[in-house]
Amino acid sequence: MAPEPISTAPDLSRPSGIPLHGITFALLIGGLVISGAVPGASQGSGEDDAAARSVLEYAKWAEQVLAAPPAGIQLLPALEDRLAKRVSKTRRDHDVGALESAPGLQRAARAHAVDMLERDYTGHIGPAGRSAAERVGILDRRFIGLTGENLAENVGIPAAAVADQVGPMAFKLVSGFLDSSGHRKNLLNPDYTRHGIGAAVEGDRLVVVHVFGDRRAALAQDLPLRVSQGAEVPLAFEQNKGLSKPAKYAFGRPGEPTGEVVPLDVELTEVAVEPGTYQLRFFLPTEQSNRFAVVNGPILVVQ
């Protein structure tokens, strides 16, 4: 009998992993305000510099490995595609809406899969303390909303064999997710409308990362990762059906409670905060007057 999954709270300060018939699964479920600690993200200037370097180095590393994975590590787009088809069928069979492929979410998924192989760990929180919401905040420069994540790992089948067994492997992985209540909740959550899958292999170790997105709003153009204090942030929003237009936004340090940030009207786009690392928080209107849903957007390094 498969063991029960370990569900994590919305702040997801600890990773989880569950062995299941040779595959390890882990899950992450996002809350309205998702936070995670980036080491050094505090008020000290030296620590601010370290946090900024960490974000910039991660972004640079991710661009490099997404273009050309490290020696010995392969991305498996054929398995990713087969998993996406299997997930689509599964959601359709359960009368849940389809998931749209999101390139930014896939970038975050692939980068995390490669990182786990390269640094030999398994978990939603990387060695640098970076959460799924923060990875999306760095690698998807337009996404505004909630995120979730499922992880799976299979050991024992060589990379060449995996390439020949993408159909059975996708079937096995999705079946395993469905057998775990937490993973099943992510997989069949009707609030998630977008996703990205990353699959990577090194030797006989296969890692799969499935990032889900409940996109509430979207920026009309990519935000720069680095901005100068006093510069203007281009806060134009897409106006597609189903997307909200944020009423306010704030600069929040990763892990900082929303109650401690200062909301600004979205027309006030000057970067007025001190240098450091921030994840934008967006305040979306609700049916109740003067009450907002607060969700994350891109991460910025203010210099």
Short mmCIF file of all heavy atoms in Angstrom, two decimals, residues 219 221 223-224 227-237 245-251 263-273 280 282 300 302:
data_model
loop_
_atom_site.label_atom_id
_atom_site.label_comp_id
_atom_site.label_asym_id
_atom_site.label_seq_id
_atom_site.Cartn_x
_atom_site.Cartn_y
_atom_site.Cartn_z
N LEU A 219 0.96 40.81 -17.06
CA LEU A 219 1.60 42.02 -17.57
C LEU A 219 1.65 41.98 -19.08
O LEU A 219 1.81 40.91 -19.69
CB LEU A 219 3.01 42.15 -16.99
CG LEU A 219 3.03 42.45 -15.49
CD1 LEU A 219 4.35 42.03 -14.86
CD2 LEU A 219 2.77 43.94 -15.25
N GLN A 221 3.93 43.27 -20.98
CA GLN A 221 5.30 43.11 -21.45
C GLN A 221 6.17 42.59 -20.33
O GLN A 221 5.83 42.73 -19.15
CB GLN A 221 5.86 44.43 -21.98
CG GLN A 221 6.01 45.51 -20.91
CD GLN A 221 6.45 46.84 -21.50
OE1 GLN A 221 5.64 47.61 -22.01
NE2 GLN A 221 7.74 47.11 -21.42
N LEU A 223 8.74 42.35 -17.51
CA LEU A 223 9.40 43.30 -16.63
C LEU A 223 10.90 43.01 -16.62
O LEU A 223 11.31 41.85 -16.62
CB LEU A 223 8.87 43.18 -15.21
CG LEU A 223 7.51 43.76 -14.88
CD1 LEU A 223 7.31 43.82 -13.37
CD2 LEU A 223 7.33 45.15 -15.48
N PRO A 224 11.72 44.03 -16.60
CA PRO A 224 13.16 43.79 -16.45
C PRO A 224 13.45 43.20 -15.08
O PRO A 224 12.75 43.50 -14.11
CB PRO A 224 13.77 45.18 -16.61
CG PRO A 224 12.67 46.12 -16.22
CD PRO A 224 11.40 45.47 -16.65
N VAL A 227 16.12 46.85 -11.97
CA VAL A 227 15.62 48.21 -12.15
C VAL A 227 16.38 49.13 -11.20
O VAL A 227 16.88 48.70 -10.16
CB VAL A 227 14.10 48.33 -11.88
CG1 VAL A 227 13.32 47.50 -12.87
CG2 VAL A 227 13.77 47.90 -10.46
N SER A 228 16.46 50.37 -11.56
CA SER A 228 17.14 51.36 -10.73
C SER A 228 16.15 52.08 -9.84
O SER A 228 15.00 52.33 -10.24
CB SER A 228 17.88 52.39 -11.61
OG SER A 228 18.85 51.76 -12.41
N GLN A 229 16.60 52.42 -8.65
CA GLN A 229 15.77 53.23 -7.76
C GLN A 229 15.45 54.55 -8.46
O GLN A 229 16.33 55.20 -9.02
CB GLN A 229 16.51 53.47 -6.45
CG GLN A 229 15.67 54.15 -5.38
CD GLN A 229 16.47 54.37 -4.11
OE1 GLN A 229 17.67 54.65 -4.17
NE2 GLN A 229 15.81 54.23 -2.97
N GLY A 230 14.18 54.92 -8.48
CA GLY A 230 13.76 56.14 -9.16
C GLY A 230 13.30 55.93 -10.59
O GLY A 230 12.70 56.83 -11.18
N ALA A 231 13.54 54.73 -11.14
CA ALA A 231 13.08 54.44 -12.50
C ALA A 231 11.59 54.13 -12.50
O ALA A 231 10.97 53.98 -11.45
CB ALA A 231 13.88 53.27 -13.07
N GLU A 232 11.02 54.03 -13.69
CA GLU A 232 9.62 53.69 -13.84
C GLU A 232 9.48 52.21 -14.18
O GLU A 232 10.23 51.69 -15.01
CB GLU A 232 8.97 54.53 -14.94
CG GLU A 232 9.02 56.03 -14.71
CD GLU A 232 8.10 56.49 -13.60
OE1 GLU A 232 7.04 55.86 -13.41
OE2 GLU A 232 8.44 57.49 -12.93
N VAL A 233 8.54 51.52 -13.53
CA VAL A 233 8.25 50.13 -13.84
C VAL A 233 7.09 50.09 -14.82
O VAL A 233 6.03 50.68 -14.55
CB VAL A 233 7.89 49.35 -12.56
CG1 VAL A 233 7.56 47.89 -12.90
CG2 VAL A 233 9.04 49.38 -11.57
N PRO A 234 7.24 49.42 -15.96
CA PRO A 234 6.15 49.39 -16.96
C PRO A 234 5.01 48.47 -16.55
O PRO A 234 5.01 47.28 -16.85
CB PRO A 234 6.85 48.88 -18.22
CG PRO A 234 7.99 48.05 -17.71
CD PRO A 234 8.44 48.69 -16.43
N LEU A 235 4.02 49.02 -15.87
CA LEU A 235 2.91 48.23 -15.35
C LEU A 235 1.68 48.36 -16.25
O LEU A 235 0.65 48.92 -15.87
CB LEU A 235 2.56 48.65 -13.92
CG LEU A 235 3.60 48.33 -12.85
CD1 LEU A 235 3.09 48.75 -11.48
CD2 LEU A 235 3.95 46.84 -12.86
N ALA A 236 1.79 47.84 -17.47
CA ALA A 236 0.63 47.71 -18.35
C ALA A 236 0.16 46.27 -18.27
O ALA A 236 0.97 45.35 -18.15
CB ALA A 236 1.02 48.08 -19.78
N PHE A 237 -1.16 46.06 -18.34
CA PHE A 237 -1.72 44.73 -18.12
C PHE A 237 -2.50 44.25 -19.34
O PHE A 237 -3.13 45.05 -20.05
CB PHE A 237 -2.66 44.76 -16.90
CG PHE A 237 -1.98 45.21 -15.65
CD1 PHE A 237 -2.08 46.54 -15.23
CD2 PHE A 237 -1.22 44.34 -14.90
CE1 PHE A 237 -1.45 46.97 -14.07
CE2 PHE A 237 -0.58 44.77 -13.74
CZ PHE A 237 -0.70 46.09 -13.33
N LYS A 245 -7.71 43.35 -13.72
CA LYS A 245 -6.72 44.42 -13.72
C LYS A 245 -6.45 44.79 -12.28
O LYS A 245 -7.36 45.19 -11.54
CB LYS A 245 -7.22 45.65 -14.47
CG LYS A 245 -6.17 46.77 -14.46
CD LYS A 245 -6.63 48.04 -15.14
CE LYS A 245 -5.55 49.11 -15.03
NZ LYS A 245 -5.95 50.39 -15.66
N PRO A 246 -5.20 44.62 -11.82
CA PRO A 246 -4.90 44.97 -10.43
C PRO A 246 -5.23 46.43 -10.13
O PRO A 246 -5.06 47.31 -10.97
CB PRO A 246 -3.40 44.71 -10.33
CG PRO A 246 -3.11 43.70 -11.40
CD PRO A 246 -4.04 44.06 -12.52
N ALA A 247 -5.73 46.66 -8.92
CA ALA A 247 -6.02 48.02 -8.49
C ALA A 247 -4.80 48.65 -7.84
O ALA A 247 -4.59 49.86 -7.93
CB ALA A 247 -7.18 48.02 -7.50
N LYS A 248 -4.01 47.83 -7.17
CA LYS A 248 -2.83 48.31 -6.46
C LYS A 248 -1.72 47.27 -6.56
O LYS A 248 -1.96 46.12 -6.94
CB LYS A 248 -3.15 48.59 -4.99
CG LYS A 248 -4.21 49.68 -4.76
CD LYS A 248 -4.51 49.87 -3.29
CE LYS A 248 -5.60 50.91 -3.07
NZ LYS A 248 -5.19 52.26 -3.52
N TYR A 249 -0.51 47.71 -6.20
CA TYR A 249 0.62 46.79 -6.13
C TYR A 249 1.54 47.25 -5.01
O TYR A 249 1.41 48.35 -4.48
CB TYR A 249 1.35 46.74 -7.47
CG TYR A 249 2.28 47.91 -7.72
CD1 TYR A 249 3.66 47.77 -7.62
CD2 TYR A 249 1.78 49.18 -8.03
CE1 TYR A 249 4.51 48.85 -7.85
CE2 TYR A 249 2.61 50.25 -8.26
CZ TYR A 249 3.98 50.09 -8.17
OH TYR A 249 4.82 51.16 -8.37
N ALA A 250 2.48 46.38 -4.67
CA ALA A 250 3.43 46.73 -3.61
C ALA A 250 4.73 45.99 -3.85
O ALA A 250 4.77 44.94 -4.51
CB ALA A 250 2.87 46.37 -2.23
N PHE A 251 5.80 46.56 -3.31
CA PHE A 251 7.10 45.90 -3.33
C PHE A 251 7.25 45.16 -2.00
O PHE A 251 7.35 45.77 -0.94
CB PHE A 251 8.23 46.93 -3.44
CG PHE A 251 8.29 47.63 -4.78
CD1 PHE A 251 7.50 48.74 -5.04
CD2 PHE A 251 9.16 47.18 -5.77
CE1 PHE A 251 7.57 49.39 -6.26
CE2 PHE A 251 9.23 47.83 -6.99
CZ PHE A 251 8.43 48.94 -7.24
N PRO A 263 0.68 49.43 -0.17
CA PRO A 263 0.06 49.34 -1.50
C PRO A 263 0.08 50.69 -2.21
O PRO A 263 -0.16 51.74 -1.60
CB PRO A 263 -1.38 48.90 -1.19
CG PRO A 263 -1.34 48.38 0.22
CD PRO A 263 -0.28 49.16 0.91
N LEU A 264 0.36 50.65 -3.50
CA LEU A 264 0.35 51.85 -4.34
C LEU A 264 -0.62 51.66 -5.49
O LEU A 264 -0.80 50.54 -5.98
CB LEU A 264 1.76 52.09 -4.91
CG LEU A 264 2.90 52.30 -3.92
CD1 LEU A 264 4.23 52.28 -4.65
CD2 LEU A 264 2.72 53.63 -3.18
N ASP A 265 -1.24 52.74 -5.93
CA ASP A 265 -2.05 52.66 -7.14
C ASP A 265 -1.16 52.27 -8.31
O ASP A 265 0.01 52.68 -8.39
CB ASP A 265 -2.70 54.02 -7.43
CG ASP A 265 -3.77 54.38 -6.40
OD1 ASP A 265 -4.26 53.46 -5.72
OD2 ASP A 265 -4.08 55.58 -6.28
N VAL A 266 -1.69 51.46 -9.23
CA VAL A 266 -0.85 50.95 -10.32
C VAL A 266 -0.38 52.06 -11.26
O VAL A 266 0.54 51.84 -12.06
CB VAL A 266 -1.59 49.86 -11.11
CG1 VAL A 266 -1.80 48.62 -10.25
CG2 VAL A 266 -2.91 50.38 -11.68
N GLU A 267 -0.97 53.23 -11.16
CA GLU A 267 -0.50 54.36 -11.97
C GLU A 267 0.78 54.97 -11.40
O GLU A 267 1.48 55.72 -12.10
CB GLU A 267 -1.58 55.44 -12.08
CG GLU A 267 -2.81 55.04 -12.89
CD GLU A 267 -3.75 54.12 -12.14
OE1 GLU A 267 -3.65 54.06 -10.89
OE2 GLU A 267 -4.59 53.45 -12.78
N LEU A 268 1.08 54.68 -10.15
CA LEU A 268 2.28 55.23 -9.49
C LEU A 268 3.42 54.23 -9.68
O LEU A 268 3.62 53.33 -8.88
CB LEU A 268 2.01 55.48 -8.01
CG LEU A 268 0.83 56.40 -7.71
CD1 LEU A 268 0.60 56.50 -6.20
CD2 LEU A 268 1.07 57.79 -8.31
N THR A 269 4.17 54.39 -10.76
CA THR A 269 5.11 53.35 -11.18
C THR A 269 6.57 53.66 -10.85
O THR A 269 7.45 52.89 -11.23
CB THR A 269 4.99 53.13 -12.70
OG1 THR A 269 5.24 54.37 -13.39
CG2 THR A 269 3.60 52.62 -13.06
N GLU A 270 6.84 54.74 -10.15
CA GLU A 270 8.23 55.03 -9.79
C GLU A 270 8.72 54.04 -8.73
O GLU A 270 8.00 53.72 -7.78
CB GLU A 270 8.36 56.46 -9.24
CG GLU A 270 9.79 56.81 -8.84
CD GLU A 270 9.89 58.19 -8.22
OE1 GLU A 270 9.03 59.04 -8.53
OE2 GLU A 270 10.82 58.41 -7.43
N VAL A 271 9.93 53.55 -8.90
CA VAL A 271 10.54 52.63 -7.94
C VAL A 271 11.03 53.45 -6.75
O VAL A 271 12.09 54.08 -6.81
CB VAL A 271 11.70 51.84 -8.56
CG1 VAL A 271 12.31 50.90 -7.52
CG2 VAL A 271 11.20 51.05 -9.76
N ALA A 272 10.25 53.45 -5.67
CA ALA A 272 10.56 54.31 -4.52
C ALA A 272 11.18 53.55 -3.36
O ALA A 272 11.52 54.16 -2.34
CB ALA A 272 9.28 55.01 -4.06
N VAL A 273 11.33 52.23 -3.47
CA VAL A 273 11.89 51.45 -2.36
C VAL A 273 13.41 51.52 -2.38
O VAL A 273 14.03 51.95 -3.35
CB VAL A 273 11.44 49.97 -2.45
CG1 VAL A 273 9.95 49.86 -2.17
CG2 VAL A 273 11.80 49.37 -3.80
N LEU A 280 6.93 41.55 -6.46
CA LEU A 280 5.76 42.42 -6.55
C LEU A 280 4.53 41.68 -6.05
O LEU A 280 4.32 40.52 -6.35
CB LEU A 280 5.55 42.89 -7.98
CG LEU A 280 6.63 43.80 -8.58
CD1 LEU A 280 6.22 44.25 -9.97
CD2 LEU A 280 6.89 45.01 -7.69
N PHE A 282 0.37 42.01 -6.08
CA PHE A 282 -0.71 42.69 -6.78
C PHE A 282 -2.02 42.48 -6.04
O PHE A 282 -2.33 41.37 -5.60
CB PHE A 282 -0.82 42.19 -8.22
CG PHE A 282 0.33 42.65 -9.07
CD1 PHE A 282 1.46 41.86 -9.23
CD2 PHE A 282 0.29 43.87 -9.72
CE1 PHE A 282 2.54 42.28 -10.00
CE2 PHE A 282 1.36 44.31 -10.50
CZ PHE A 282 2.49 43.51 -10.63
N LEU A 300 11.92 41.52 -8.63
CA LEU A 300 12.76 42.61 -9.12
C LEU A 300 13.97 42.79 -8.21
O LEU A 300 13.85 42.66 -6.99
CB LEU A 300 11.97 43.93 -9.15
CG LEU A 300 10.75 44.05 -10.05
CD1 LEU A 300 10.12 45.42 -9.90
CD2 LEU A 300 11.14 43.80 -11.50
N VAL A 302 16.24 45.75 -7.19
CA VAL A 302 16.34 47.21 -7.25
C VAL A 302 17.77 47.61 -6.91
O VAL A 302 18.32 47.21 -5.89
CB VAL A 302 15.34 47.87 -6.26
CG1 VAL A 302 15.48 49.39 -6.30
CG2 VAL A 302 13.91 47.46 -6.61
#
